[in-house]
Amino acid sequence: MLTGPTKLAQKSEIVRAYPVAFGFGFVVREVDREEVEGQILATNQDGSVDGIIVYYPIFGSRQDQYLQQLIDVGKDVEGLSHQYIFNMYQNIRFLDEGELQKSILPCTPLAIVKILEYLNVYNSILPYGNRLFGHSITVVNRSEVVGRPLAALLANDGASVYSVDITGVQQFTRGEGIKKRRHEVMDMEGWTLETCLTHSDVVISGVPGEAFKIPTSLLKEGAFASAVLLGRVNQQYGMLRQIKPKNARSKRALAKKEPLAHENTKTVLLLRGTTCSSLVQDLLSDINALKRPFSIRFTKKNEIHPFEDASSLEFFSLKNDASLLLFGSHSKKRPHCMTWVRCFGGQVLDMLEVYVVKGTARTLAQFKSEKCKVGLKPLLSFSGAQFESPLASQYTLAKSIFTDFFRGGESATVDVEGLQLMISFTAAEDAHDGSPAMIQMRCWRIITKRSGQRVPRVEVEEMGPRIDFVVGRSKEAEASAWKEAMKKPKGVEAKPKKNIETDIVGDKIGRIHLGKQDLTELQTRKMKGLKRGREAAAGAEEVADEEAVISEGEGNATDDLEAKRQRIA
């Protein structure tokens, strides 16, 4: 089943030659992409058809995945349905208990496996399913089309597979001694492509150009390297490129693109689609005014559909060194639409689509009050239980994206005179009819006036723009990409100091440890009132002499009395 205008005739000639080469009937059906869904459902019921092959991409979005699941499992000869994908990752090789009908595998990963079998990489002496035991294989690219399925297939056959992608290195293995039934995945922290190459005896990579070739000097002695095109390899695999600067200017340009321990202030790029309402264009201009000088505004029309194909956004992000994008568009289905996009490593990280409520929107020019100065760092306020939910939702994503867009650069000190702008976001409760809660954006100018005291009197005045958002579609970041984006470089975090803590206010609290004190050796202050005078000392000596005489007389009397008692006796 063919669709789309590109190379349609060439594909038709190729598939029409299949009956001659393989000896079975092959029918080519050319349909428009809007009719593909109905054609697939009709072919599922056609008893004269034994298998269905659809040439992708059709829409270039998740709608293609939906079409893949429409094909009947019994007629899916490409192995793209959920049942076949599940069996592949779970290492289930047959569809029946009698093991007569094999589970179909995706064609490109299976073709690479057949190449390795032909080259005797598989050990035919070992039992079926364990014939790659003892091999270490590096697969460059972890796409869902070829890279990840290939790594899973090789690991399920007993190999230790290192899957290399821009987000890092993962190991696919069935454990020590291949004791586990299916493969498991483990992140290899600190590993790079060079580390994997030195441990591998088989390397499978995509080589679309000279700049992407893997240096053969890094290969292990006797290793087998296969240059196989694994999906669409584009600028995201710049980790394999070895660009050498030819002059000082290009060297400085490359140095600016290198990762920094402390990144520069993020730049926002504002774009418009082919159809964009005047309201959205005015709001884009207002947000550009709030973000200056860290914003770029393009006014030309761009045929971009962010959720269907984000390649154009990624191109603009790389070209303008802008990791934040705001795209405005308008259609009957999605009126006054604004799509907030975050990028990482030249790829779209996450997206949030919101629709502006036209009745309550007010632009910056509609407020006649005085405006703030350019380049101010705003105060951000988020009100509403939706923003504080412990579970990930569109509102927690909105809070994260809005914070990234408006927070500005990091500063060690803050001047009170510079605190002139506050942006507040309020999420109301869900409506009674079940519609999602709106997000209200308000911008305020902070005014300080004399109060007759040390602390000034603070007033706020709305300066615009005023926008009410209705949350639409969203795209969450993948776990691996989010982990890579949140990774902090070594040496950035301050080393903790012993016995020093910081309270919630930000004050430092220190703890001092003292040894046991001997109070007997404590020297007290000698006061004049505590000293003995000469007369007091002489009187004390006379009293002591008298007490001694009295005690001596008492002793003599006692002795005389004892002597008389002895004579009488």
Side-chain angles (χ1 to χ4, degrees):
M1 192 175 297
L2 302 177
T3 181
T6 59
K7 300 183 179 180
L8 189 58
Q10 181 182 357
K11 291 179 180 177
S12 300
E13 293 299 327
I14 294 174
V15 298
R16 285 192 177 98
Y18 282 4
V20 178
F22 298 99
F24 57 83
F26 205 106
V27 179
V28 179
R29 297 181 180 178
E30 301 176 7
V31 298
D32 294 333
R33 67 177 189 173
E34 288 78 12
E35 302 175 359
V36 173
E37 181 178 355
Q39 187 67 38
I40 291 175
L41 295 176
T43 309
N44 286 338
Q45 304 298 326
D46 190 351
S48 63
V49 177
D50 299 313
I52 302 175
I53 297 178
V54 181
Y55 278 81
Y56 300 98
I58 299 175
F59 295 94
S61 63
R62 292 189 62 184
Q63 192 167 352
D64 286 357
Q65 300 177 13
Y66 164 71
L67 295 176
Q68 292 171 4
Q69 304 308 317
L70 284 182
I71 299 175
D72 186 80
V73 176
K75 297 184 179 182
D76 181 13
V77 297
E78 297 182 277
L80 299 179
S81 64
H82 172 73
Q83 181 64 48
Y84 292 137
I85 297 296
F86 176 82
N87 291 350
M88 177 186 64
Y89 284 114
Q90 297 295 323
N91 199 14
I92 301 174
R93 300 175 182 248
F94 295 91
L95 295 176
D96 56 341
E97 295 182 358
E99 296 186 355
L100 298 176
Q101 185 179 2
K102 282 191 174 182
S103 181
I104 296 177
L105 299 174
C107 57
T108 307
L110 180 60
I112 299 173
V113 169
K114 294 300 181 182
I115 292 173
L116 296 179
E117 288 181 347
Y118 178 79
L119 295 171
N120 295 323
V121 177
Y122 276 72
N123 189 354
S124 59
I125 300 176
L126 295 176
Y128 175 73
N130 297 336
R131 292 178 177 178
L132 281 180
F133 177 67
H135 286 286
S136 296
I137 303 175
T138 293
V139 178
V140 181
N141 180 297
R142 200 160 52 244
S143 69
E144 297 297 334
V145 179
V146 180
R148 189 186 297 273
L150 176 60
L153 288 177
L154 299 177
N156 287 337
D157 281 338
S160 177
V161 182
Y162 300 107
S163 177
V164 182
D165 200 75
I166 192 171
T167 57
V169 178
Q170 291 182 343
Q171 185 183 25
F172 289 63
T173 178
R174 285 170 55 188
E176 186 176 356
I178 55 174
K179 296 179 180 178
K180 299 179 180 179
R181 186 184 63 84
R182 62 175 296 272
H183 73 279
E184 293 183 349
V185 183
M186 179 175 59
D187 290 329
M188 305 297 289
E189 296 290 342
W191 279 53
T192 61
L193 174 64
E194 289 75 12
T195 310
C196 298
L197 294 179
T198 57
H199 288 77
S200 302
D201 46 22
V202 177
V203 179
I204 304 173
S205 173
V207 186
E210 295 288 336
F212 289 84
K213 285 187 176 180
I214 295 177
T216 55
S217 59
L218 299 176
L219 295 177
K220 186 178 177 181
E221 184 177 357
F224 166 73
S226 174
V228 183
L229 181 61
L230 300 183
R232 183 175 65 91
V233 184
N234 53 20
Q235 294 175 342
Q236 68 176 339
Y237 299 104
M239 61 178 180
L240 301 179
R241 302 184 65 183
Q242 295 181 347
I243 303 176
K244 295 182 180 180
K246 297 181 180 180
N247 49 43
R249 181 181 178 183
S250 59
K251 185 177 181 180
R252 290 193 298 268
L254 290 175
K256 288 182 180 180
K257 294 183 179 181
E258 293 179 355
L260 303 174
H262 298 279
E263 292 290 344
N264 301 325
T265 305
K266 295 182 179 180
T267 302
V268 176
L269 179 62
L270 299 103
L271 305 165
R272 58 157 296 180
T274 53
T275 56
C276 185
S277 62
S278 58
L279 173 62
V280 174
Q281 294 184 53
D282 293 339
L283 294 178
L284 290 177
S285 300
D286 293 346
I287 294 175
N288 181 42
L290 293 177
K291 284 294 300 177
R292 284 185 299 182
F294 305 109
S295 64
I296 304 172
R297 173 78 195 282
F298 288 171
T299 56
K300 290 186 177 181
K301 298 179 180 180
N302 300 280
E303 189 175 355
I304 301 175
H305 304 281
F307 286 88
E308 284 74 23
D309 184 10
S311 58
S312 298
L313 294 177
E314 295 168 354
F315 169 77
F316 281 119
S317 175
L318 284 172
K319 197 71 175 177
N320 299 277
D321 193 20
S323 59
L324 304 173
L325 298 96
L326 181 56
F327 179 74
S329 60
H330 176 75
S331 64
K332 184 177 180 180
K333 186 177 181 180
R334 296 182 176 87
H336 312 295
C337 178
M338 301 178 73
T339 306
W340 306 71
V341 184
R342 285 192 296 189
C343 296
F344 173 74
Q347 301 293 305
V348 170
L349 181 66
D350 49 15
M351 292 188 290
L352 177 67
E353 185 180 77
V354 294
Y355 311 124
V356 178
V357 180
K358 185 178 180 180
T360 59
R362 298 291 183 272
T363 62
L364 199 64
Q366 290 179 291
F367 290 87
K368 304 304 180 183
S369 59
E370 185 180 349
K371 305 300 184 288
C372 293
K373 297 178 181 179
V374 176
L376 293 178
K377 188 178 177 68
L379 299 174
L380 299 180
S381 171
F382 292 90
S383 303
Q386 305 270 17
F387 290 131
E388 307 300 330
S389 174
L391 302 177
S393 64
Q394 292 177 319
Y395 295 92
T396 57
L397 176 62
K399 180 180 179 181
S400 176
I401 290 179
F402 290 151
T403 302
D404 244 0
F405 263 79
F406 294 105
R407 67 172 185 162
E410 296 183 0
S411 56
T413 57
V414 178
D415 188 0
V416 179
E417 291 296 327
L419 300 177
Q420 299 181 10
L421 175 62
M422 183 179 74
I423 304 176
S424 65
F425 297 92
T426 305
E429 297 294 333
D430 292 339
H432 297 290
D433 57 356
S435 58
M438 288 194 304
I439 299 178
Q440 300 174 345
M441 175 182 171
R442 302 291 185 266
C443 297
W444 309 85
R445 187 172 73 92
I446 301 175
I447 307 171
T448 55
K449 296 184 177 181
R450 292 184 179 180
S451 62
Q453 300 177 0
R454 185 177 180 181
V455 180
R457 183 165 58 91
V458 179
E459 296 181 358
V460 292
E461 180 182 16
E462 189 172 2
M463 55 167 278
R466 179 194 298 173
I467 313 174
D468 290 345
F469 297 120
V470 176
V471 179
R473 295 178 295 176
S474 63
K475 175 184 177 296
E476 296 282 348
E478 295 183 1
S480 57
W482 183 260
K483 181 180 178 181
E484 186 70 18
M486 298 300 293
K487 186 181 296 183
K488 294 183 179 180
K490 296 181 179 179
V492 174
E493 297 182 355
K495 294 183 179 180
K497 296 182 179 180
K498 297 179 67 174
N499 304 321
I500 296 180
E501 299 176 353
T502 304
D503 58 9
I504 57 175
V505 184
D507 297 333
K508 287 186 177 181
I509 301 175
R511 181 181 299 174
I512 300 175
H513 296 273
L514 298 176
K516 187 176 181 180
Q517 296 182 359
D518 187 2
L519 299 179
T520 59
E521 297 180 358
L522 185 64
Q523 183 179 1
T524 58
R525 185 179 178 184
K526 296 181 179 180
M527 297 177 58
K528 187 175 181 181
L530 298 178
K531 293 182 180 179
R532 292 184 178 184
R534 294 181 180 178
E535 296 179 358
E541 292 178 357
E542 291 179 359
V543 172
D545 294 341
E546 290 178 359
E547 290 177 353
V549 171
I550 292 172
S551 60
E552 184 178 354
E554 290 177 353
N556 295 335
T558 305
D559 293 341
D560 295 342
L561 182 60
E562 186 67 25
K564 289 180 179 180
R565 288 177 179 174
Q566 291 177 357
R567 286 197 298 269
I568 294 173

